Structure formats: structure tokens, C-alpha cells
Amino acid sequence: MNILAPTRYPWLFNSPKHSTHNISIRNFLPLNYIHTSIEGATIFSPFPLRRFDLIHAFNRIPIGVTPFVIGYESHLPRVFGREDWKIFAILSRMLAGQRCRKIVAISEIARRQFLHQHAGRPWLDDIAPKLTVRYPNILIPPEADGFDPSQPETIKLVFVGNHFLRKGGLVAVRAAQLAHELGFPLKVDIVSGLDVGAGSWIGPSRPEFFEAYRRLIDTLPNVTSHGSLPNPAVLELIRQSHFLLLTTFSDTFGYSAIEAMARYTPVIATNIGALPEFIEDQVNGILLSLDRNEMGEWKYEGNTERHLPWYEAMFRDEVERLAGELLEKVQACVKNQSTYRSMRAKARATAEALFAPGDAERFWDDLYREAVGRRPQAGE
């Protein structure tokens, strides 16, 4: 069969790495470029002209006549607070229609968010049976753990993420400062464009809020800011670190977390989004707590007062609390090398059990055949 799929990295994590079908990757036009209210739909490039049996979309519903399956991260349709607008009903009825053959959530929290989003709607009975869950998948390097925690005297943490405030970069900086003040041998590598301000939907929106933390990044002797790095260099930095930091205030899944675990590197994460579904505190990583709403999101997500002093004070207090808790747990963990070695082994085992590409390839190929109503052919 001929399958049409989109460019951009989220689809690459939520699709088969290899397939018995012919998958064509094409650019698409997110319709929010035309108007923000229609972010939930897209049009694929029609060229070169070709007939497709199925579209494998992600996050945005494809316009056209070809049947489709669609994966998504959190909300579908992506209307973000416009559920009372007509566009939500139009796009939802597209999901309920015959063109849509399957809806694939990337996590259990995404499944719950979808059902909550459509609760009480007249089309719920048509879309709920199409819903299933499939975790992302990655290529897992066939290698032993080459990191020896008994060798480096310094505990190495690495933070990766461009949305610096949203991903918890301030927690990394403040933990480094606390460690430096205490004389604890901790080093933090930061791989980030340091995006802050109104562009991110979490964290204080005034750029001035970040200035004190920026000075710490520039002056702390145990912090190295790398800016952006090629992906192989990022993965090597992760491989040579004790922990990856994903102390995020808002995330759907956290793809960097599974990349780290595939390289035996445990993750220090917050209990946000899908992260608690595969990170177990003190077993295969470290989990820090934020107050959450009923959907598993940070309770302040979507707050419209990010520019006000009370929000800045609250955010600063949360950073302080998380940094202190992080440092305390890291100190306790690395004191016992056998416990830490076990944590690394279990991080890798989790990646192999949940995120390996083999099972995902069988899942997607079977789903494609089911969606089109076609039996497997010889050699498939």
C-alpha cells in the first residue's frame, strides 16, 4: 500500500521505523498559518501526483478524500480553548466520519484528555471506539552501558530543551547554584536556545524575569551553556551524564527522556504529562512532584496572568522547591553506587520494553492494513 505521512519530528517518533508498505513523507500546510482557529487541520502537498491508499497524520486532520489514521499528543482537534466554536464541531465530525479509521493517542494521559475533551458531545459514540494508545518508539542502540559512575568525581547532569522556562531550565540552574554553594561536585550542561518570554505558554512572560538566571548561566563555574548542538553530539553528552534533566512544567511525552533511557541514562523529571507512566521514582529515574489538575497537567497551565507579580513569585518558589528536592535526591542516589547502577540498567530495560521499534512496526503495519480493509499479501 501507499501511505502518505507528514514531515517534522513528532511523526518520526510515532510511526514505523521500517514498513512493508511504501511511505511517502511530504510537507504540509498547517492551516493555523492562515488563521489560528484552524490549527487542527492541514493540507498536504499534492506534488508529485500520486494515489495514496491511506494518510497517516499526526495532530492535524488532513483535508481531502483519502482515508486516514491520526496520532496525537494531547488534544484532538487542536483548538486549545475554542471547544465552543463551530470549528471544533466541524473537525470533530471529521474524526467521527468514515474517512477517519483510527485515532492513536501517544499515552494514557492523551487518551484521557481526548475523552474529556469530547465528553457529552453527540459524536462521542462514533469516535471513542476508534481510540487506541501506542507509545512513541525510537531506535535503541545495541550497546552495553559504557558509563562508569565510579570514575568521574563530578556528578554530571544535562538539560536539553529550547523552551527554557517551560522545560524546567531554571531548576537546573538553581540546583547548580545550590550545589556550588554547598561544595557538592555537580556540573550542569545546558543544550538550549534559551527561549523565554511570551512565546512559551508556561512561565513568566516578562523577559526581565529571566535576567537573574541568565547571569547565573554566564557566571556559575559548574554550568556550561552549549547553545544548540548537532543531535549526535547531544546524544553523546546524554550518554556521558549521570542524569538527563526534564524538570518540565508542561509536556505531552518528553521524547528526550526516552532517548536518554535508551542510552542507560536515568531521567530526573516532574510528574507531568506522560512522564509518570514510564518513570518510577528511585527505580529507573527520579520523579519530582508538581500540583496537577485532574488531567495530569500542572495546575497553573493555561494561566493568563503570567505577566503579574504573583505568578512570577509563585513560579520562582516552585523553582526553588524543585531545585532543592532535586539536589537532595541526587546526593542520596549517588552515595550508593549499586543503587545507581541498578537505576541505569532499569532505565535501559524500560526503553527496551516500551519504546523499541520492532513492536511498533508490527502495530503500524497491521493498523494500515486494517484501516484499508486489506489482507496481508505474500512477503508482507
Side-chain angles (χ1 to χ4, degrees):
M1 289 189 296
N2 294 321
I3 313 294
L4 175 61
T7 56
R8 302 193 185 179
Y9 82 93
W11 185 85
L12 297 176
F13 284 93
N14 297 281
S15 61
K17 296 293 178 284
H18 301 94
S19 177
T20 58
H21 307 291
N22 301 313
I23 300 180
S24 295
I25 308 297
R26 291 194 179 184
N27 287 324
F28 60 94
L29 173 65
L31 295 185
N32 59 296
Y33 288 7
I34 299 172
H35 194 279
T36 57
S37 67
I38 48 176
E39 180 176 357
T42 190
I43 298 173
F44 279 85
S45 171
F47 302 110
L49 294 175
R50 185 177 184 183
R51 179 187 172 276
F52 290 99
D53 299 291
L54 186 71
I55 297 172
H56 180 174
F58 193 79
N59 276 343
R60 295 175 173 89
I61 300 168
I63 304 297
V65 297
T66 306
F68 67 91
V69 298
I70 185 166
Y72 73 97
E73 291 180 272
S74 59
H75 297 77
L76 193 71
R78 289 166 68 89
V79 293
F80 300 121
R82 296 186 175 100
E83 281 81 4
D84 57 341
W85 287 29
K86 188 175 181 179
I87 189 66
F88 177 69
I90 292 172
L91 294 176
S92 295
R93 292 190 187 281
M94 291 176 67
L95 295 175
Q98 290 189 356
R99 279 187 65 225
C100 178
R101 305 297 169 84
K102 206 72 173 179
I103 301 166
V104 185
I106 69 170
S107 65
E108 289 296 332
I109 186 176
R111 181 188 66 83
R112 294 195 304 272
Q113 287 170 325
F114 180 85
L115 293 175
H116 177 78
Q117 187 183 20
H118 294 278
R121 303 287 185 164
W123 52 78
L124 179 62
D125 289 344
D126 293 318
I127 60 176
K130 301 180 184 183
L131 183 62
T132 190
V133 176
R134 179 72 213 182
Y135 279 161
N137 71 96
I138 58 172
L139 294 174
I140 298 179
E143 60 188 18
D145 186 5
F147 184 80
D148 185 355
S150 66
Q151 292 302 313
E153 295 181 358
T154 301
I155 308 304
K156 297 180 180 180
L157 312 182
V158 58
F159 170 88
V160 180
N162 278 330
H163 277 187
F164 199 65
L165 271 64
R166 176 173 68 86
K167 291 280 189 176
L170 301 189
V171 179
V173 174
R174 184 68 180 117
Q177 184 182 27
L178 290 173
H180 179 61
E181 292 170 352
L182 293 171
F184 180 70
L186 181 140
K187 181 181 185 297
V188 175
D189 285 287
I190 294 174
V191 182
S192 174
L194 302 179
D195 291 344
V196 298
S200 174
W201 59 92
I202 291 288
S205 56
R206 287 191 319 119
E208 294 80 8
F209 176 83
F210 178 60
E211 288 178 359
Y213 296 96
R214 180 58 200 246
R215 287 193 293 271
L216 290 176
I217 294 172
D218 292 338
T219 58
L220 280 172
N222 58 343
V223 172
T224 300
S225 181
H226 298 270
S228 297
L229 291 174
N231 196 54
V234 176
L235 295 177
E236 184 58 29
L237 194 58
I238 290 173
R239 184 184 283 108
Q240 296 300 323
S241 296
H242 287 81
F243 292 98
L244 172 81
L245 295 179
L246 188 53
T247 47
T248 180
F249 290 85
S250 176
D251 241 304
T252 54
F253 204 92
Y255 299 132
S256 63
I258 60 177
E259 293 270 26
M261 296 170 80
R263 288 156 181 83
Y264 298 88
T265 303
V267 181
I268 301 176
T270 43
N271 60 340
I272 293 299
L275 292 166
E277 295 181 26
F278 60 91
I279 297 175
E280 187 175 355
D281 188 38
Q282 306 299 322
V283 176
N284 62 358
I286 291 175
L287 209 56
L288 309 177
S289 295
L290 285 169
D291 287 338
R292 301 175 295 180
N293 61 24
E294 61 180 357
M295 287 294 101
E297 303 162 327
W298 186 41
K299 70 177 184 178
Y300 293 104
E301 177 148 348
N303 193 285
T304 59
E305 298 184 341
R306 294 164 51 211
H307 60 293
L308 295 181
W310 78 264
Y311 188 96
E312 293 187 356
M314 176 276 300
F315 198 85
R316 188 179 295 107
D317 288 345
E318 286 292 82
V319 168
E320 290 295 307
R321 181 183 62 81
L322 290 171
E325 186 178 343
L326 181 159
L327 187 58
E328 181 180 337
K329 288 192 172 186
V330 167
Q331 288 174 313
C333 180
V334 297
K335 283 181 181 178
N336 189 326
Q337 285 196 13
S338 63
T339 298
Y340 176 69
R341 289 179 187 275
S342 173
M343 187 178 288
R344 292 185 68 89
K346 289 176 180 176
R348 168 72 177 213
T350 299
E352 292 175 343
L354 298 182
F355 311 121
D359 287 344
E361 289 166 6
R362 289 185 287 273
F363 170 86
W364 288 112
D365 275 1
D366 289 346
L367 182 62
Y368 295 157
R369 283 189 287 265
E370 177 190 340
V372 178
R374 175 181 165 185
R375 296 180 180 274
Q377 303 297 306
E380 288 188 354

